[in-house]
Amino acid sequence: MRNGHVYVSRGPVIDASIQAGGNTYRFGCDLSAAFSQEQGEIASHEVTCTLSVASDVNARVTLIHNGIAESVRDVSITATGEVPEVLEWNIALEEGTYNWYRFDIRDEAGTLLAFTNPFYYGSKEPRITTYNELLSSANLT
């Protein structure tokens, strides 16, 4: 939990395998090292994310990229809801940019059932670093 390898759920059970640069990662990981020069010549900045979802209701899994819904997949329940459905995404990362990805799981009515911690690629310098700067940027000072 301290390393951010978590998801929050109101029912669905999620397991993930995030493959990048020949290594396996989990939710909350920074994938930048997978494509660094120390790793040798990298032919592609491709990430394969395999998500296993067991749910007792039909659900929709959405890949969120930088806060925007990018891809939606349906999960159909089994008779018991115990056999997970396996979904796979191939994500081509753009070199030199900052990106984050996470998953939302919602029921057919759109109610949020679960979400994952994001995984990241690239670096970004925060523009706001103190509470006072945050208040000032929101015109609350």
Side-chain angles (χ1 to χ4, degrees), residues 48-97:
T48 301
C49 186
T50 304
L51 200 65
S52 170
V53 180
S55 176
D56 59 356
V57 298
N58 289 333
R60 291 218 137 135
V61 179
T62 303
L63 173 65
I64 308 292
H65 174 216
N66 293 341
I68 299 171
E70 189 166 276
S71 173
V72 178
R73 309 267 177 90
D74 290 329
V75 174
S76 299
I77 62 167
T78 61
T80 62
E82 294 177 4
V83 177
E85 186 155 338
V86 179
L87 308 168
E88 185 174 286
W89 284 263
N90 292 311
I91 303 167
L93 301 175
E94 187 178 333
E95 190 173 356
T97 62

Side-chain angles (χ1 to χ4, degrees), residues 5 15-36 39 46-50 119-120:
H5 307 306
D15 191 23
S17 172
I18 302 166
Q19 301 288 324
N23 296 308
T24 302
Y25 296 90
R26 300 171 65 188
F27 302 128
C29 285
D30 181 351
L31 305 184
S32 301
F35 304 110
S36 70
Q39 298 287 54
E46 180 109 351
V47 173
T48 301
C49 186
T50 304
F119 55 94
Y120 305 84

